[in-house]
Amino acid sequence: MKINSKWLEVPHFHGRYYLDKKGNIYSVRRGKFNTLIIRRKRQIYVDYLGKKYTYLKDKQSDLSKRFNISDYLASLSDS
């Protein structure tokens, strides 16, 4: 599997996560022999307002951060 050119890089996560227009998040890692390992993130939640979010692990601080998928996609469509 390759990184699709239509996917958007999730900001502040240094190229570890990509997002498509439907709201699916893909984690990208380097495997053996410098190959890409791409996995779809399954743990996407919906809050009481109906907005989608997930928790992403930051490479540098090793902490999980909440990423609001719906808000990010809405900000892209506004501009």
Side-chain angles (χ1 to χ4, degrees):
M1 186 176 207
K2 293 185 177 183
I3 296 175
N4 192 333
S5 62
K6 296 179 183 176
W7 290 353
L8 305 167
E9 186 176 327
V10 176
H12 310 296
F13 289 97
H14 311 288
R16 288 176 59 115
Y17 299 101
Y18 286 85
L19 178 71
D20 65 5
K21 295 285 184 177
K22 295 177 185 175
N24 298 319
I25 292 188
Y26 300 91
S27 71
V28 178
R29 304 287 186 271
R30 293 278 176 191
K32 286 187 177 181
F33 309 112
N34 212 18
T35 58
L36 289 178
I37 300 171
I38 301 174
R39 293 189 183 127
R40 185 169 169 228
K41 186 153 177 60
R42 305 274 182 198
Q43 297 146 333
I44 295 177
Y45 309 104
V46 179
D47 65 2
Y48 65 96
L49 295 174
K51 295 184 177 186
K52 292 168 63 174
Y53 68 94
T54 188
Y55 292 96
L56 301 177
K57 184 162 253 190
D58 190 7
K59 183 177 179 182
Q60 294 177 344
S61 66
D62 235 13
L63 298 173
S64 292
K65 296 180 183 177
R66 181 173 167 153
F67 178 70
N68 293 317
I69 300 168
S70 300
D71 292 342
Y72 183 68
L73 290 175
S75 71
L76 290 176
S77 64
D78 290 342
S79 46

